Amino acid sequence: MRLLAVLLLASPLFAQPLAQGRALFLDHCAPCHGEFGAEGFGANLAIPDLPRAPDDRTLARLIRNGLEGTDMTPAFGVTDSEVKAMIAYVRSLGRTPRQPVPGDAGRGSQIYQGKGNCAQCHMLRGSGGRHGPDLSDIGLRRSPAHLRQSLTDPEAAFPHGYLYVEVTTRAGRNIAGARVNEDSFSIQLRDLAGDVHSFWKSELSDLKKHRDRSSMPAYKSLSQSELTDLVAYLASLRGRL
């Protein structure tokens, strides 16, 4: 991927807009998406078709306005010509031949269903748990590097909108899980079994919000080859049956 970027930037036809777009991308986008669009915790941009930006007009709107409900924030202060340059660079990333992901996705699928016990918490094509994010198209949304980090160090690769909470009722009942919804007077959370609990805050004696803690375990029991196979399987999940 780096070689292709160098060749593109060296081409007289593409050098100026791509060089400008790359500089802007590094400033505004790389902290989340990585230098080449597929190394950070943000969505994977090094794919031919971006699910949330199928055309340049939509991509321009996302660059200018961000995306509500995600960590993507607007690129403030960019001009129309700069947005066009950023789009040119992002689209060039999608033209990069997809690099093969090491590992055996077939064995990774067996680990997902078996030793990894991933289906207990994650939905996949309509089947599985609902405690964690749906993984049906995770291979489109996250890079292999991010997937591996999510497995080995979950708290360093926190999914947007996820908040692990613990509540204690005045009657002494303790419940922990992922926050589903919250307002000034009530809170709802989903426990590891997938059951949703709703409480009036006036019923609680304690409410703890762990903004840097995940209920997902670090997969230290997996060997390096098993971990590589599991990442290969997750990277293959692209929302198609």
Side-chain angles (χ1 to χ4, degrees), residues 4-39:
L4 178 64
V6 170
L7 292 174
L8 285 171
L9 290 172
S11 168
L13 180 62
F14 294 105
Q16 185 172 351
L18 280 183
Q20 182 188 25
R22 173 176 165 78
L24 291 162
F25 183 91
L26 292 177
D27 186 30
H28 293 279
C29 312
C32 293
H33 297 281
E35 182 181 359
F36 295 97
E39 301 86 18

Side-chain angles (χ1 to χ4, degrees), residues 148 152 219-231:
R148 193 178 190 95
T152 58
Y219 281 79
K220 297 179 180 179
S221 63
L222 298 181
S223 67
Q224 289 300 307
S225 62
E226 289 173 328
L227 185 62
T228 297
D229 291 341
L230 181 54
V231 169

Side-chain angles (χ1 to χ4, degrees), residues 1 96-103 144 228 231-232 235:
M1 184 180 292
T96 303
R98 186 181 173 194
Q99 299 297 314
V101 179
T228 297
V231 169

Side-chain angles (χ1 to χ4, degrees), residues 51-118:
R52 287 174 165 165
D55 53 66
D56 289 354
R57 179 179 296 180
T58 305
L59 182 53
R61 185 165 59 248
L62 291 179
I63 291 171
R64 287 196 174 281
N65 302 329
L67 187 60
E68 186 177 358
T70 73
D71 288 322
M72 184 171 176
T73 57
F76 292 110
V78 291
T79 65
D80 289 344
S81 63
E82 288 174 333
V83 169
K84 289 180 180 179
M86 292 173 73
I87 290 173
Y89 181 69
V90 170
R91 296 302 186 195
S92 76
L93 298 175
R95 291 191 292 270
T96 303
R98 186 181 173 194
Q99 299 297 314
V101 179
D104 186 313
R107 288 198 298 262
S109 175
Q110 296 174 359
I111 295 168
Y112 180 96
Q113 298 293 341
K115 185 175 180 179
N117 200 25
C118 308

Side-chain angles (χ1 to χ4, degrees), residues 108-124 127-133 135 151 216-217 219 222 230 233-234:
S109 175
Q110 296 174 359
I111 295 168
Y112 180 96
Q113 298 293 341
K115 185 175 180 179
N117 200 25
C118 308
Q120 178 184 358
C121 295
H122 295 280
M123 187 74 66
L124 180 58
S127 178
R130 299 178 62 192
H131 184 71
L135 301 180
L151 293 168
M216 179 175 166
Y219 281 79
L222 298 181
L230 181 54
Y233 174 63
L234 293 173

